[in-house]
Amino acid sequence: MASNAITRDSSTLANKYEVLLLEKGGQRLTEERTSLVFQILDDLLPNLGVYTKVLKSARDEIFDSVYSDKYTSTSDDGESFVQRIPYFKLVQDIYYQRNERADEIQQRLDIVKRSLFEKHKQFEDAQDRISDLESNITKLNENIENLETNLEAKQDRIESLEKTLKDDRQSSEKTQHNLKCDITELKADLKEARSEVAFLTKYKKGYDDLESAFTEPIGGESAQKKPIVATKRAHLINNTSSAKMIESQILVVQNAVIEEYDKFLESHKQELINQPVYEDPHDPKYIRSEGDIERADQELWAVEERFKTSCNDIDTELELIRQHYTMLEEQLQIIEEQNPTIQMKKKTLKETVDNLDEAAKDKDRDNIRGLLKSVSRPETQDSVLSAGLNEKSQTDNEEDPFITHERVFSKYASMMYSSSNKGKNWHEFPDAKYCASCGEKTMICPHKLGTKERVIRIPHGSSHIKITRPKVKINKELVRELIRRESTTESEIDLPTSATSKSSKTKKLKSISSMLGKVGASNRAIMFDQMSTASTPSIDAHLVHSLGRLWDDYKDRTTLQRVIPKPLRMDRVLSLIEQFYSFMIWQDETGQDDDEGLFSPLDNLYYFMSQRYHKPDISYLAMSDLFTTIIEISATSKIIHTFGHILVGNLDGAVFRYLLLMCDFINLVQWRDVGDFRVFASIIYPTLGDDDIETLHMGYTSYSENKISKRRVIEFIIYLVLKYREPRFQELESKLVQQSTVEAGHFSFAEFTEALEQVLPVHNDTLCRRLFWEAEAHLRWDNMENVVTISRLAQITGFLGLMQISHIIKQTVAVKVADAREQDPDRQGLPSQVPPGDDSIMTYTAVRGLAINVHRY
């Protein structure tokens, strides 16, 4: 019973404690709950028996672990007492304080962030303002530099003008002194001449009286001498020759303008070549280089605009003078048809006789002889100037008492001007008219003074009168023309206008002009055509087209003729070729597959020249000068000779790119003796055997006369190309021949692409496509479409293959050649075999660098 009572009491006590724990906060940890737990533990300890002491120790340990050494006062049920604070309460207080601190810090941080954001915004605005100010400073600095440059140029110009003025003053003073001396001498001569005239006058009078006594009939009056009347034909001939001379002078000025523009382009090109090429846009040197190129381009633009304006003005003047010349020739032709001269009649009659057959000539031989005799010796011998005597002038009824070339009488003429404002402005007298014999307007001249005296009306309000004398003008061209017409025979010919140039073709024409008199008129045109299209003979049979083909294409493109040629120097031609291939290389690297610019090298050259000169007529004239120079100096320059054969279609355009790439390798080597070529050949032709290398080396030694230089090496390779013996081209052509094609000896693009995968698996597809269609466009000249010959494709493949290994060759060629020279004991003591002189060559790297700098903007 007692045990049951104890059990029941224990159960009741446990329930009590559980209720108390639930009342004190459930599962939540609080001070009251912790105090209650220790109170329950204290109440239970006496009832644990033998475990009381152990559990009491454990209870104390737990109590020390839970409660800290800090105390706090609290109240419960109206009783106040002091107790220790649990650790978790301290931790909660710390967390609470930390959270409050964190909230305070967060608020302050938000305030700081807002302030920082505002400051950052202000900072960005300040940076923008600074950037704008820096930009303005840069522009102002540039303006200052430009103004300083302009100021320096103006100062230089002022100094130059002052120097010129000083020189002109000195020259004028010297000229004035000389003229005064001449005047003094002439006065003395005049005085002496007058005394001599006065002395001889009495003898002349006696001679004239004696002549009149013999010539005049007895009792008759002296027949009045009538001068020969100048004719409209003579005036037209004179004006025509003057118009032609003015046209020639304008063309000379045009050549000078073109030459000045070309010189500037050459200096601009040299400036671009001197600019190094930087690949990194962030490099400061790149930025400086960009600025220099931009300034050069702005200067180029200004010069181009000035050149266009000058060309437009010259074209206008040429058009006007040519219209005037055409009108004069039409009028002269009308006069020739209405009143033919003796020579024209004789020529017409001879042409009529030549058109008769032999039977008709035999039948009417006597009549023909009589006609020729009557034409050759007419009853009244007409002068060349006799046509038009019966025509009345539409502008002036007065007869001109002197023939046209008697202009020496103009020294007795004068022109009068009047001024109503004390000599500030002058006006011609109303009665002044043009005198063809004097060549200008005159008021008084021997050709117009038909009476002994003439009364001149002074304009109303005139304050001053100015009298000027015209210059004596003798038309030498007309005199030569008259002499030539009088002495013209059936054997003479008219050389073309271009024959006035000093070209080799002109000299050739002049050298055989003496034998053309024996050639019939029907064969002369054929002979001249053969001579005009003749050019340098081809080196080998595979060069099927002559350089004269350039002129055939030129005549198909335009009717312009170079009346006054402008010969080019060799360095100018090489510079033009360099600039043209920089344009081509840029197209190779930046062009797309669907470009419309896949034309032949000759078409691309015409397009390049049109972009260079901006005027179609000027471009054609420049092309004429270039072709003339290429044909003339091709025998002295292998590079120019090869370029000419590329233009006419004997070689593909890839050949020149191939040679430029070869020049890159040649330029890297430090040449010393002929043995260097053997090592160089083994590097650039890795597939050749030892025997082939030895043969190639012997060929070079013979060609270069045991000398070596960069120029001699590239000229030997060009020699191999022109001789059709270039090893790489021959090897690739033999490989291409083995490929199957629909048309023997020709490949379509699909066939070439398939064959190239076998011959050259790794290549540039885009460049391959461009080169194929460029070659196809050139072969259309030979009536081929959509196919290219194997020889051209071998040249294209050779360039593509060399392009793939070019970086390897550039890295090793110089080192290998130098190492081989050092390792060969037989070559150690040899002297240098490099001849002195300029040894610069055109390289692919330099041309590509020029292309990058030219097209950077």
Side-chain angles (χ1 to χ4, degrees):
M1 291 293 291
S3 62
N4 291 335
I6 293 171
T7 301
R8 186 170 53 252
D9 292 339
S10 300
S11 176
T12 301
L13 186 59
N15 291 335
K16 176 183 176 182
Y17 289 152
E18 288 179 359
V19 172
L20 290 174
L21 289 174
L22 291 175
E23 289 177 353
K24 294 298 182 179
Q27 300 299 326
R28 184 171 172 270
L29 185 62
T30 61
E31 290 185 56
E32 292 81 2
R33 183 180 177 84
T34 304
S35 178
L36 179 60
V37 169
F38 277 100
Q39 184 180 354
I40 292 172
L41 188 59
D42 289 339
D43 292 342
L44 292 177
L45 282 176
N47 299 322
L48 294 179
V50 294
Y51 299 103
T52 299
K53 188 176 181 181
V54 174
L55 289 177
K56 187 176 186 307
S57 299
R59 179 258 180 200
D60 293 337
E61 292 291 336
I62 295 172
F63 183 84
D64 292 336
S65 299
V66 172
Y67 285 92
S68 66
D69 295 334
K70 294 183 179 182
Y71 293 86
T72 185
S73 62
T74 185
S75 60
D76 188 12
D77 295 335
E79 295 181 0
S80 297
F81 55 91
V82 177
Q83 66 176 6
R84 295 170 66 178
I85 301 174
Y87 283 110
F88 71 85
K89 179 63 177 177
L90 293 175
V91 172
Q92 288 178 353
D93 292 342
I94 292 173
Y95 281 164
Y96 178 75
Q97 293 174 1
R98 189 183 63 180
N99 290 338
E100 286 184 347
R101 181 64 177 172
D103 293 339
E104 181 182 357
I105 292 174
Q106 185 64 37
Q107 292 177 358
R108 294 172 61 186
L109 181 61
D110 293 338
I111 295 172
V112 171
K113 284 183 177 180
R114 286 195 296 271
S115 176
L116 180 61
F117 178 75
E118 294 176 356
K119 296 294 184 182
H120 185 70
K121 187 175 181 181
Q122 294 176 358
F123 175 72
E124 290 180 348
D125 294 338
Q127 280 187 329
D128 294 337
R129 288 196 299 273
I130 291 171
S131 178
D132 295 337
L133 292 175
E134 289 178 348
S135 178
N136 293 333
I137 290 172
T138 303
K139 293 180 180 179
L140 292 174
N141 288 332
E142 291 179 355
N143 292 334
I144 291 172
E145 291 178 358
N146 294 333
L147 291 175
E148 289 178 350
T149 303
N150 294 334
L151 180 60
E152 292 177 357
K154 296 293 183 183
Q155 290 177 349
D156 294 339
R157 179 63 176 170
I158 291 172
E159 293 176 357
S160 176
L161 291 175
E162 289 178 350
K163 183 178 180 182
T164 304
L165 179 60
K166 183 178 179 181
D167 294 340
D168 291 343
R169 284 178 177 173
Q170 294 176 355
S171 176
S172 300
E173 292 174 356
K174 185 177 180 181
T175 304
Q176 184 180 6
H177 175 71
N178 293 334
L179 291 175
K180 287 181 179 179
C181 295
D182 293 340
I183 290 172
T184 304
E185 294 177 358
L186 289 174
K187 285 182 178 179
D189 294 341
L190 179 61
K191 184 177 179 180
E192 183 180 353
R194 283 177 177 175
S195 62
E196 186 176 358
V197 169
F199 175 74
L200 296 175
T201 300
K202 54 184 179 180
Y203 297 102
K204 182 178 184 301
K205 186 176 182 301
Y207 177 79
D208 290 341
D209 293 339
L210 181 61
E211 184 180 10
S212 298
F214 279 98
T215 57
E216 294 180 2
I218 300 175
E221 296 181 356
S222 298
Q224 184 178 1
K225 296 181 180 180
K226 295 183 179 180
I228 301 175
V229 182
T231 64
K232 187 176 180 180
R233 178 203 298 270
H235 294 164
L236 290 176
I237 293 174
N238 179 37
N239 293 336
T240 302
S241 61
S242 299
K244 202 66 179 177
M245 185 179 299
I246 293 174
E247 181 187 10
S248 300
Q249 293 173 353
I250 295 175
L251 291 176
V252 171
V253 174
Q254 185 185 56
N255 285 350
V257 172
I258 297 174
E259 178 64 22
E260 180 182 1
Y261 180 67
D262 284 338
K263 287 181 179 178
F264 175 80
L265 291 181
E266 290 301 314
S267 63
H268 178 72
K269 184 208 79 170
Q270 193 62 37
E271 184 177 357
L272 294 179
I273 289 178
N274 294 334
Q275 287 289 339
V277 178
Y278 300 103
E279 301 293 341
D280 186 10
H282 302 290
D283 190 350
K285 295 181 180 179
Y286 178 88
I287 299 174
R288 287 195 296 269
S289 176
E290 291 283 306
D292 294 339
I293 293 177
E294 184 177 5
R295 284 192 292 273
D297 288 343
Q298 290 176 355
E299 185 179 358
L300 174 62
W301 178 83
V303 173
E304 286 177 348
E305 293 299 320
R306 186 166 64 250
F307 175 72
K308 292 177 186 177
T309 303
S310 301
C311 289
N312 290 332
D313 295 340
I314 292 174
D315 290 342
T316 302
E317 294 295 331
L318 283 175
E319 184 65 24
L320 292 175
I321 197 66
R322 284 168 179 168
Q323 289 178 2
H324 181 64
Y325 179 77
T326 303
M327 180 188 67
L328 294 174
E329 287 214 332
E330 291 175 355
Q331 294 179 5
L332 184 60
Q333 182 66 26
I334 292 173
I335 293 178
E336 292 286 353
E337 293 175 357
Q338 293 177 353
N339 298 285
T341 59
I342 296 174
Q343 288 78 10
M344 291 296 296
K345 292 178 181 179
K346 187 175 181 180
K347 182 179 179 182
T348 304
L349 184 58
K350 282 185 174 291
E351 290 178 356
T352 304
V353 172
D354 291 339
N355 292 332
L356 295 176
D357 55 8
E358 294 297 329
K361 289 182 181 179
D362 294 337
K363 182 178 180 180
D364 298 332
R365 187 178 301 279
D366 294 336
N367 296 332
I368 293 171
R369 187 181 296 109
L371 287 173
L372 292 174
K373 184 176 181 181
S374 64
V375 171
S376 302
R377 299 178 180 274
E379 295 179 1
T380 303
Q381 186 71 27
D382 294 335
S383 171
V384 178
L385 307 175
S386 62
L389 284 175
N390 297 327
E391 298 179 0
K392 294 183 179 180
S393 176
Q394 298 178 359
T395 60
D396 194 357
N397 293 327
E398 296 182 2
E399 293 184 350
D400 197 346
F402 296 99
I403 62 176
T404 306
H405 57 271
E406 286 185 334
R407 291 184 174 174
V408 291
F409 290 96
S410 63
K411 66 181 180 179
Y412 302 110
S414 63
M415 181 63 187
M416 301 181 68
Y417 301 87
S418 64
S419 174
S420 58
N421 54 2
K422 297 183 179 180
K424 294 182 179 178
N425 297 317
W426 297 97
H427 306 281
E428 297 177 353
F429 269 54
D431 296 336
K433 294 182 181 179
Y434 178 80
C435 177
S437 297
C438 296
E440 56 186 270
K441 274 189 176 183
T442 58
M443 187 68 191
I444 302 172
C445 71
H447 312 99
K448 294 180 181 179
L449 193 59
T451 59
K452 293 182 179 180
E453 61 182 15
R454 181 175 183 182
V455 178
I456 300 174
R457 182 176 57 86
I458 304 298
H460 178 70
S462 299
S463 61
H464 293 74
I465 294 176
K466 180 173 69 172
I467 301 176
T468 61
R469 296 174 59 186
K471 296 180 180 179
V472 178
K473 299 177 181 178
I474 300 176
N475 194 335
K476 297 181 180 179
E477 295 294 332
L478 179 59
V479 174
R480 295 192 188 100
E481 179 69 16
L482 295 174
I483 295 174
R484 188 190 65 80
R485 288 194 177 190
E486 292 293 336
S487 60
T488 300
T489 60
E490 194 271 337
S491 63
E492 288 180 326
I493 62 168
D494 292 331
L495 292 177
T497 308
S498 59
T500 59
S501 64
K502 296 181 180 179
S503 62
S504 59
K505 181 177 69 176
T506 302
K507 295 177 181 178
K508 185 176 181 180
L509 291 174
K510 289 183 177 179
S511 65
I512 64 170
S513 60
S514 59
M515 76 179 202
L516 287 178
K518 302 178 182 179
V519 182
S522 60
N523 296 327
R524 290 176 191 160
I526 300 175
M527 180 176 290
F528 270 111
D529 182 66
Q530 292 175 351
M531 288 187 296
S532 62
T533 57
S535 63
T536 306
S538 299
I539 292 181
D540 271 319
H542 68 281
L543 303 177
V544 294
H545 303 297
S546 67
L547 298 184
R549 199 183 194 197
L550 296 173
W551 292 120
D552 299 334
D553 178 78
Y554 180 84
K555 294 175 183 177
D556 293 337
R557 294 176 187 265
T558 181
T559 57
L560 286 175
Q561 293 184 359
R562 198 62 157 117
V563 179
I564 300 180
K566 186 175 75 67
L568 303 177
R569 300 190 309 274
M570 181 183 295
D571 58 343
R572 179 70 59 80
V573 177
L574 292 174
S575 177
L576 283 173
I577 295 174
E578 182 180 9
Q579 295 175 61
F580 169 65
Y581 264 94
S582 71
F583 164 77
M584 295 294 292
I585 289 174
W586 181 259
Q587 295 296 324
D588 292 344
E589 295 187 359
T590 61
Q592 303 297 326
D593 291 344
D594 56 349
D595 280 353
E596 297 180 358
L598 302 178
F599 302 113
S600 67
L602 186 57
D603 293 332
N604 285 323
L605 180 60
Y606 273 100
Y607 176 75
F608 167 75
M609 296 297 276
S610 67
Q611 296 296 309
R612 176 184 175 91
Y613 292 102
H614 307 285
K615 299 284 293 181
D617 292 348
I618 303 298
S619 302
Y620 284 122
L621 295 179
M623 290 294 291
S624 176
D625 296 332
L626 179 61
F627 291 160
T628 301
T629 309
I630 287 177
I631 293 174
E632 287 182 355
I633 67 177
S634 61
T636 60
S637 174
K638 293 290 186 183
I639 290 288
I640 296 177
H641 189 62
T642 304
F643 182 69
H645 282 294
I646 290 173
L647 293 181
V648 299
N650 290 328
L651 298 173
D652 189 74
V655 170
F656 207 90
R657 299 175 175 89
Y658 180 84
L659 295 176
L660 288 176
L661 206 54
M662 282 288 189
C663 289
D664 261 0
F665 310 147
I666 295 171
N667 196 49
L668 294 173
V669 178
Q670 189 69 29
W671 301 97
R672 189 173 177 274
D673 56 66
V674 179
D676 293 336
F677 182 80
R678 183 201 304 270
V679 184
F680 178 77
S682 64
I683 297 172
I684 61 173
Y685 300 120
T687 58
L688 292 183
D690 294 339
D691 294 340
D692 295 332
I693 294 294
E694 182 64 26
T695 302
L696 197 63
H697 178 250
M698 292 175 62
Y700 172 78
T701 304
S702 174
Y703 176 84
S704 64
E705 298 178 352
N706 206 26
K707 299 290 183 181
I708 194 165
S709 66
K710 298 176 183 178
R711 189 178 301 278
R712 290 173 185 258
V713 173
I714 189 59
E715 286 182 351
F716 177 70
I717 296 177
I718 294 174
Y719 171 78
L720 295 178
V721 172
L722 296 177
K723 282 290 187 179
Y724 208 64
R725 297 208 300 260
E726 212 281 335
R728 180 174 279 103
F729 291 166
Q730 286 186 331
E731 177 187 1
L732 292 173
E733 184 173 348
S734 63
K735 291 182 179 179
L736 290 174
V737 168
Q738 301 174 5
Q739 307 296 323
S740 59
T741 58
V742 175
E743 184 178 355
H746 300 78
F747 280 75
S748 65
F749 180 70
E751 293 170 343
F752 177 58
T753 305
E754 183 178 353
L756 203 59
E757 293 295 333
Q758 303 294 328
V759 177
L760 188 66
V762 181
H763 60 273
N764 189 333
D765 293 333
T766 303
L767 184 57
C768 171
R769 179 185 181 86
R770 292 186 64 87
L771 294 177
F772 179 89
W773 291 112
E774 178 183 305
E776 190 271 343
H778 215 167
L779 286 175
R780 291 181 187 176
W781 205 355
D782 297 327
N783 299 322
M784 299 182 190
E785 292 187 2
N786 299 324
V787 292
V788 178
T789 59
I790 288 182
S791 60
R792 286 179 175 270
L793 294 179
Q795 296 164 4
I796 294 173
T797 308
F799 170 66
L800 294 175
L802 187 64
M803 197 74 175
Q804 293 298 321
I805 61 174
S806 61
H807 62 285
I808 300 176
I809 297 178
K810 289 180 181 179
Q811 294 174 359
T812 59
V813 61
V815 178
K816 288 184 178 180
V817 171
D819 291 345
R821 187 191 306 131
E822 294 177 357
Q823 294 174 4
D824 190 351
D826 298 334
R827 298 168 55 192
Q828 296 299 323
L830 291 177
S832 175
Q833 297 174 345
V834 180
D838 183 18
D839 202 30
S840 61
I841 56 177
M842 190 187 311
T843 64
Y844 191 93
T845 301
V847 174
R848 181 178 178 274
L850 176 61
I852 293 174
N853 287 333
V854 168
H855 297 88
R856 186 174 293 183
Y857 285 96

